[in-house]
Amino acid sequence: MIDAQYGGIPADTASVMVVCRQWTPGHAGGTTVDVRLSRARPRWEVTAPPRAG
């Protein structure tokens, strides 16, 4: 992870844009993923698979 920025954070849900470095054989680069969360006890939970941005 290089950086993270809130895409939106209402009372019980959140969208976090995460910028990541990505390495594969013969290639280095990066991607941005949109991680969706919902408030749960005792911690937040991922509610949707990350989507490439």
Side-chain angles (χ1 to χ4, degrees):
M1 184 179 93
I2 299 170
D3 193 18
Q5 178 178 350
Y6 292 120
I9 189 163
D12 294 343
T13 61
S15 168
V16 181
M17 302 301 290
V18 181
V19 181
C20 306
R21 284 197 178 103
Q22 184 176 6
W23 289 273
T24 57
H27 179 72
T31 190
T32 302
V33 292
D34 178 5
V35 180
R36 302 296 172 110
L37 307 163
S38 71
R39 188 179 305 255
R41 301 269 189 253
R43 62 186 62 90
W44 288 79
E45 293 182 350
V46 174
T47 56
R51 296 179 295 170

